[in-house]
Amino acid sequence: MRRAGQSHAGKLALGLLLSACSQTATRPAGQSSPAGSAAASGSAGTLAAVSGAAGVGITSAGTAGGGIASGNPAEPNPDGGSASGRGAAGSDGAAAGRPAARDGSPPGRGAAGTDGGRAAAGPSGSAGTQPTAAGQAGGPAASPGSPATAAVGCEGLDPLQTLRGLAPTDPDLAEDFMGYLSDLGPLTCAAAGTGTARTITQTIFVPPNSVYDGRGEKLTADSAMLRCDTSEGEQAEDQRPYFVLAKGATLKNVTITYPGCEGVHMLGDNVLDNVRWEDVGEDAASVRSYFPGGRITILNSEAHKAKDKTFQFNAPCDVRIERFTGSDMGKLVRQNGGEEFELKIDLNTVQVTGVISAVVQSDSPRCFIRHHALSYMFQGSGDKSDRVFRDIPPANVTEY
């Protein structure tokens, strides 16, 4: 049975696809169009068919004819849905992007304009909204977009199964990793916070390449459920984290209160932005030895009362800590002792006070530090300059 309104749109789109193919056939030899781009209109605006990696959508150009818009990276939907498609519209026009596929595949290309908006993704992994018509005057062609990395929503996702797929190939590390997963307990998959103060009873799993925006929420752990150590020092090793960030995931706009438990576990290629730890437990955030590691960025954040260390890195990482403040800590950064994997640390506009042991401590000859606008103050009296970068060869430290 044919759906109402389907016939007219389908015929119009088919006709324009044929028109686009005709224009392509007359293109001079050696001139090819980018994959996934729409046919540009030379005069009056037309409907441009756009093909993407996961499907086909239709955008509407302005009456003066727009150029060809390139695909932009898919953006994660904070409600746990798949990434939205993006297309530019004509001046004063609304968005003209195609809906994204359920699996968050990169968007295709839409008709260009100057003041385009964005087609939003539907809730819980559904496709984006239908594009609206563009403005009266088409704009210039958009510049090519960089390849998109698909965000993964929570709908139908098994967090533990997703994590099992990231097990290391090394047998010993794989065994440790699987033991870690068995100790995590149940996980709650989420890609957005509530913006309120609340108590959590399960570790929150943020899917690959997704952004968890707490919207200013303040989280407190149920001490029993997350096995938090509330004794002096809070250093028990079997505590559970507030968050586990899958590869490429971002955590922002969150305050973690006492007890800090295991803070945030980062599998690798993660960003922490505007995260505040009121009372650090075992660690504020860490990368374990059986995690992939990679690029770690910590921005606009603060941490206090870290009895031992604030950030721990037990796998190869390239770490950037920028615009960070901290107080009453044993160490700001610690590289796992007795290891020689490479760790690069960039400290930019960092201020720490009440330091006991070191700003950064590592006994690896492959720990390299760059720093700019670094301010520190140790507890007690006397010269403690040798503790700033403790056990790190001076040749490995650069101020810029």
Side-chain angles (χ1 to χ4, degrees):
M1 179 181 295
R2 187 177 64 204
R3 297 177 185 170
Q6 186 177 19
S7 174
H8 175 73
K11 290 180 179 180
L12 182 56
L14 178 60
L16 290 168
L17 280 170
L18 293 173
S19 173
C21 293
S22 173
Q23 294 179 29
T24 303
T26 59
R27 187 178 290 108
Q31 181 178 348
S32 59
S33 61
S37 63
S41 169
S43 53
T46 62
L47 286 175
V50 290
S51 61
V56 175
I58 297 176
T59 61
S60 177
T63 57
I68 300 172
S70 299
N72 291 301
E75 294 185 358
N77 178 359
D79 294 323
S82 54
S84 63
R86 178 190 296 177
S91 59
D92 302 324
R98 72 168 176 82
R102 287 184 181 272
D103 62 357
S105 301
R109 303 170 185 260
T114 55
D115 290 321
R118 177 188 307 123
S124 302
S126 59
T129 57
Q130 292 296 324
T132 57
Q136 293 299 310
S143 58
S146 57
T149 302
V152 177
C154 286
E155 184 180 10
L157 181 73
D158 182 341
L160 284 175
Q161 187 61 35
T162 301
L163 288 170
R164 289 187 190 103
L166 298 173
T169 55
D170 179 272
D172 292 335
L173 291 178
E175 182 178 354
D176 291 343
F177 183 71
M178 298 309 290
Y180 163 78
L181 295 184
S182 67
D183 289 339
L184 268 181
L187 301 174
T188 297
C189 184
T194 63
T196 63
R198 62 189 178 108
T199 298
I200 62 171
T201 58
Q202 296 181 353
T203 296
I204 299 170
F205 173 75
V206 184
N209 308 310
S210 296
V211 176
Y212 182 100
D213 186 350
R215 295 179 277 189
E217 73 179 351
K218 195 170 186 177
L219 300 179
T220 302
D222 181 305
S223 298
M225 298 300 292
L226 266 64
R227 299 179 179 173
C228 302
D229 181 3
T230 58
S231 65
E232 182 68 25
E234 308 168 55
Q235 294 298 299
E237 293 292 339
D238 62 345
Q239 301 180 79
R240 290 171 175 166
Y242 277 69
F243 290 91
V244 172
L245 306 185
K247 284 275 288 183
T250 292
L251 174 66
K252 66 179 184 179
N253 302 326
V254 170
T255 293
I256 294 175
T257 68
Y258 173 85
C261 311
E262 265 284 340
V264 181
H265 286 180
M266 306 176 290
L267 268 74
D269 297 334
N270 301 120
V271 176
L272 305 179
D273 188 358
N274 192 28
V275 179
R276 184 174 188 266
W277 293 265
E278 290 185 348
D279 192 316
V280 175
E282 168 66 7
D283 303 306
S286 60
V287 176
R288 298 199 162 201
S289 59
Y290 35 77
F291 289 175
R295 187 176 297 276
I296 302 294
T297 304
I298 302 170
L299 305 170
N300 310 308
S301 298
E302 59 180 285
H304 308 280
K305 302 179 182 178
K307 302 296 189 298
D308 186 6
K309 65 272 188 196
T310 307
F311 303 116
Q312 172 99 18
F313 299 98
N314 295 352
C317 291
D318 189 338
V319 180
R320 178 164 65 98
I321 303 175
E322 187 170 338
R323 297 185 298 278
F324 176 88
T325 59
S327 66
D328 301 324
M329 63 183 64
K331 295 170 281 288
L332 174 63
V333 176
R334 178 70 164 109
Q335 181 174 7
N336 196 23
E339 300 289 344
E340 294 192 359
F341 59 83
E342 184 171 85
L343 178 65
K344 295 180 179 179
I345 303 170
D346 189 330
L347 305 175
N348 187 347
T349 317
V350 171
Q351 180 179 1
V352 289
T353 59
V355 180
I356 299 172
S357 179
V359 176
V360 180
Q361 183 171 355
S362 171
D363 52 13
S364 170
R366 301 180 65 198
C367 179
F368 300 93
I369 298 172
R370 300 176 70 248
H371 65 94
H372 171 75
L374 171 63
S375 172
Y376 52 86
M377 182 179 295
F378 284 82
Q379 293 186 18
S381 59
D383 181 15
K384 296 181 174 62
S385 58
D386 61 329
R387 294 189 183 182
V388 178
F389 305 118
R390 194 165 186 172
D391 302 327
I392 299 170
N396 290 8
V397 179
T398 303
E399 183 174 5
Y400 63 95

